[in-house]
Amino acid sequence: MVQHIDQRAINTIRCLAADVVKGANSGHPGAPMGCAPMAHVLFNKFLTFNPKNPKFINRDRFVLSNGHGCALQYIMLHLSGYDLSMEDLKQFRQLDSKTPGHPEINDTPGIEVTTGPLGQGISNAVGLAAAEAHFAATFNRPGYDLFNNYTYVILGDGCLQEGVSAEAISLAGHWKLGKLIALYDDNKITIDGSTEVSFTEDVLQRFQSYGWHTLVVEDGDNDTASIQKAIEDAKTVTDKPTLIKIKTTIGYGSLNQGEEKVHGAPLSDDDIKQVKEKFGFNGDEKYIVSQEVYDLYNSRAEEGAKAEAKWNALFASYKSEFPKEGAEIERRFSGKLPEGWETVLPRFTPADPAVATRKLSEGVLTALSDVIPELLGGSADLTGSNLTRWKKAVDFQHPSTHLGDYSGRYFRYGVREHGMFAIMNGLAAYGGNIPYGGTFLNFLTYGWGAARLSALSHLRVLYVMTHDSIGLGEDGPTHQPVETLVLTRATPNMLTFRPADGNEVSGTYLVALENQHRPSVIALSRQNLPQLQGSSIEAVRRGGYILQDAKEPQIILVATGSETSLAVDAAKKLT
């Protein structure tokens, strides 16, 4: 049996979820009401965080992958003492509120990644966990376990049906990310009704085949002791991520519990009243939290503040013993680039030979790899075509594979474009990393859901997209992305580059890296392109610019990328 205060806290979450969604007359009460016990156990027993400093470096990361249930996350943040008031909860889903309809990293303190499109959150979490493993391998020293946080995820049936999650989950198992723990809300309901109509696979067997450790909690509605024990057991397995299947009832307590009716619509007034009375609350009161419940969560938050103070003392000692590494950690998490990094960018003159811009990109990445250690590369099984790997690169792999180690900065994503993009978002959201990933420009739209979230989340993620035009050769129209750049150029907060020569390639990386809060799509050619008179690295900062001018022009030729040299040749014929 759970203690009275724990049950009171769980029921408070359930009643608040009903009130918050009803207040907006919009939203999803079912998942928050069903997930209240697992969320309570996580926030009150396991998560290490400090609401007074949501960016504490070694905090545990929590991701609500089924982001439509965000009333749950907002309630937990409020109860835990984050800068999220009861009035903010009452403004759920309202314009300019701190509580938007799905979690957004820049709107709400305590939100780690922007979720909502299903499957993205669990995929981001793989990136968050990989980032922790990388920082631990790079900076931890004997007696200085600076980076050892866990990444926890709550996800639902919808997340597991999206293809992006399969891609990322497969990589998490391959990488043996033991500090990734996912709580699967197995309520057997989607919008269309029972999962019997479309989702009957054995989820545990699938995860086991991916190399995950799996556990089951039979009564997720009431048995908090089993939820706690499952998480404790998961933490003992260090070489596998863990999925805990927790069987729950969607909309627990509602007259319509267990049905799709409670998934995406507010409960009726009568239903909310009987829910509150069933759980021991006054049915006529709204947005009620007792002081004892606040005290319970405040106590956990105080433990988190103490954990941060202890970590800060450890880090101060670390900096005394390892000043170079300490300064590097501080610089990386500040988002600032190393002094003078741009001086390594290659420069070209028209006398230099014609080179494909993908090859020029390789040269830039090689130069930058020595001066920007937070640059983490990768490719979706096209390393030799994208030219994204510098010669001295070490692969990010579990040490047991003998293929690399966790300090490695090159990620072999396999043929998983969407998973790669979503994982890069997680790597960037962790802090201190600038991820880039390569594929053909045509396959950017394979992973567009994640690329769009890079822009919405204001993350510095670089998309190195080669084979950008009909100039790619004999592959034909299936591989010729004639429409893709229209999409990227129309996307708010996303930079699009299509460099025409070596100077513009260098300038592209200059501007992409200078923009701390914008992703960049870099479209590169397969074919060789000449070095142009009038180009420069710095000119790229202006976006479009005059490459070559005339005294009394009668026509203006505009071009980008591989067509620019054709425009230059055309101008010569017209002169």
Side-chain angles (χ1 to χ4, degrees):
M1 295 294 293
V2 296
Q3 297 177 359
H4 172 72
I5 181 58
D6 287 314
Q7 189 64 60
R8 184 74 174 175
I10 291 166
N11 291 338
T12 296
I13 297 165
R14 288 168 169 156
C15 292
L16 268 181
D19 280 339
V20 166
V21 174
K22 186 66 175 179
N25 199 31
S26 173
H28 303 75
M33 295 173 74
C35 292
M38 69 177 82
H40 170 71
V41 171
L42 260 183
F43 275 78
N44 191 48
K45 305 292 184 184
F46 291 97
L47 284 173
T48 297
F49 57 87
N50 182 7
K52 304 305 179 188
N53 180 18
K55 296 299 183 182
F56 161 42
I57 289 176
N58 198 44
R59 67 191 181 280
D60 288 333
R61 270 63 170 182
F62 171 72
V63 175
L64 184 70
S65 189
N66 47 338
H68 56 268
C70 58
L72 174 69
Q73 192 166 13
Y74 299 149
I75 289 166
M76 300 313 299
L77 294 173
H78 168 71
L79 294 175
S80 298
Y82 283 83
D83 183 18
L84 201 70
S85 68
M86 184 64 78
E87 185 60 31
D88 291 322
L89 294 183
K90 293 178 181 179
Q91 293 299 311
F92 180 54
R93 285 183 161 237
Q94 304 308 301
L95 183 65
D96 296 328
S97 76
K98 288 185 179 179
T99 48
H102 292 84
E104 296 190 41
I105 188 173
N106 296 304
D107 288 355
T108 314
I111 300 296
E112 300 291 351
V113 291
T114 297
T115 63
L118 294 176
Q120 295 294 333
I122 177 62
S123 305
N124 296 161
V126 174
L128 290 168
E132 183 279 331
H134 175 70
F135 270 100
T138 304
F139 290 106
N140 286 1
R141 299 290 184 270
Y144 293 100
D145 209 12
L146 284 181
F147 294 93
N148 62 0
N149 69 275
Y150 283 83
T151 299
Y152 295 97
V153 191
I154 291 178
L155 71 160
D157 292 301
C159 294
L160 294 179
Q161 292 173 60
E162 289 287 358
V164 63
S165 66
E167 295 179 21
I169 288 163
S170 174
L171 278 168
H174 169 72
W175 288 332
K176 303 180 185 294
L177 297 175
K179 286 190 167 66
L180 174 60
I181 299 175
L183 281 61
Y184 165 32
D185 173 28
D186 179 27
N187 62 32
K188 301 190 182 304
I189 291 292
T190 62
I191 293 175
D192 275 359
S194 169
T195 53
E196 292 176 354
V197 304
S198 62
F199 189 56
T200 55
E201 68 186 45
D202 190 321
V203 170
L204 294 187
Q205 285 190 1
R206 175 153 72 100
F207 272 74
Q208 289 163 9
S209 73
Y210 285 147
W212 283 58
H213 173 227
T214 61
L215 296 164
V216 179
V217 175
E218 292 290 341
D219 181 10
D221 297 328
N222 302 288
D223 191 358
T224 55
S226 291
I227 296 173
Q228 181 173 341
K229 185 178 186 304
I231 298 172
E232 290 169 347
D233 290 347
K235 294 179 74 171
T236 67
V237 178
T238 59
D239 61 347
K240 293 182 179 181
T242 295
L243 178 79
I244 305 173
K245 179 179 178 178
I246 304 177
K247 298 181 181 180
T248 67
T249 303
I250 190 171
Y252 186 83
S254 166
L255 296 173
N256 295 315
Q257 69 176 37
E259 301 180 26
E260 69 274 12
K261 295 176 183 177
V262 295
H263 169 81
L267 275 58
S268 69
D269 290 333
D270 289 343
D271 196 0
I272 293 174
K273 183 174 182 178
Q274 72 83 28
V275 165
K276 292 177 179 177
E277 291 173 348
K278 182 184 297 182
F279 291 145
F281 292 80
N282 184 331
D284 295 321
E285 293 182 333
K286 297 180 179 180
Y287 301 102
I288 299 302
V289 182
S290 67
Q291 189 58 49
E292 63 178 351
V293 170
Y294 277 128
D295 290 343
L296 177 67
Y297 287 108
N298 287 341
S299 177
R300 182 66 188 178
E302 289 171 2
E303 291 180 29
K306 292 177 182 176
E308 183 185 4
K310 184 177 179 181
W311 187 89
N312 288 339
L314 181 69
F315 187 42
S317 179
Y318 178 93
K319 288 190 289 185
S320 295
E321 191 166 347
F322 305 102
K324 180 180 177 182
E325 290 82 357
E328 182 66 7
I329 291 170
E330 290 182 326
R331 181 193 65 77
R332 287 177 62 163
F333 278 91
S334 75
K336 296 179 181 178
L337 295 169
E339 288 291 331
W341 68 273
E342 68 278 4
T343 61
V344 305
L345 294 170
R347 293 180 180 270
F348 300 85
T349 71
D352 292 315
V355 184
T357 54
R358 63 168 175 161
K359 185 67 177 176
L360 293 162
S361 168
E362 179 187 38
V364 173
L365 291 171
T366 297
L368 293 176
S369 68
D370 288 330
V371 296
I372 305 180
E374 62 266 43
L375 201 60
L376 306 179
S379 172
D381 198 52
L382 287 170
T383 297
S385 293
N386 301 145
L387 303 179
T388 42
R389 190 176 189 271
W390 62 99
K391 288 185 173 62
K392 296 186 294 183
V394 175
D395 285 0
F396 178 88
Q397 300 279 3
H398 191 275
S400 66
T401 64
H402 304 293
L403 298 171
D405 58 58
Y406 281 161
S407 71
R409 294 164 51 200
Y410 194 78
F411 289 69
R412 304 280 187 171
Y413 290 103
V415 190
R416 302 182 182 93
E417 292 88 358
H418 203 175
M420 173 174 70
F421 297 166
I423 289 170
M424 289 196 299
N425 284 342
L427 289 169
Y430 187 88
N433 295 314
I434 304 174
Y436 71 85
T439 187
F440 293 169
L441 179 61
N442 188 64
F443 301 136
L444 173 63
T445 47
Y446 262 25
W448 181 250
R452 181 178 181 275
L453 286 179
S454 297
L456 187 63
S457 303
H458 293 218
L459 296 173
R460 182 165 48 184
V461 175
L462 277 56
Y463 294 88
V464 181
M465 306 285 102
T466 68
H467 296 62
D468 74 332
S469 72
I470 60 172
L472 63 86
E474 300 80 5
D475 284 333
T478 62
H479 283 53
Q480 292 167 355
V482 297
E483 77 293 339
T484 307
L485 292 175
V486 177
L487 175 63
T488 67
R489 288 166 177 155
T491 301
N493 201 51
M494 177 175 280
L495 293 169
T496 300
F497 300 92
R498 193 160 177 253
D501 70 351
N503 285 329
E504 289 195 0
V505 170
S506 292
T508 289
Y509 281 99
L510 173 75
V511 179
L513 291 168
E514 286 178 337
N515 275 268
Q516 189 174 342
H517 302 295
R518 300 174 77 180
S520 295
V521 172
I522 302 173
L524 302 168
S525 74
R526 181 194 185 206
Q527 71 271 33
N528 290 341
L529 300 178
Q531 312 304 330
L532 300 172
Q533 184 72 43
S535 71
S536 75
I537 293 175
E538 292 72 21
V540 178
R541 288 193 177 118
R542 305 205 301 269
Y545 67 97
I546 298 173
L547 180 70
Q548 295 174 12
D549 207 351
K551 288 184 177 180
E552 297 180 1
Q554 297 180 356
I555 188 171
I556 297 174
L557 301 180
V558 179
T560 66
S562 53
E563 286 78 61
T564 306
S565 58
L566 299 179
V568 170
D569 290 342
K572 291 176 182 177
K573 291 182 179 294
L574 292 171
T575 300

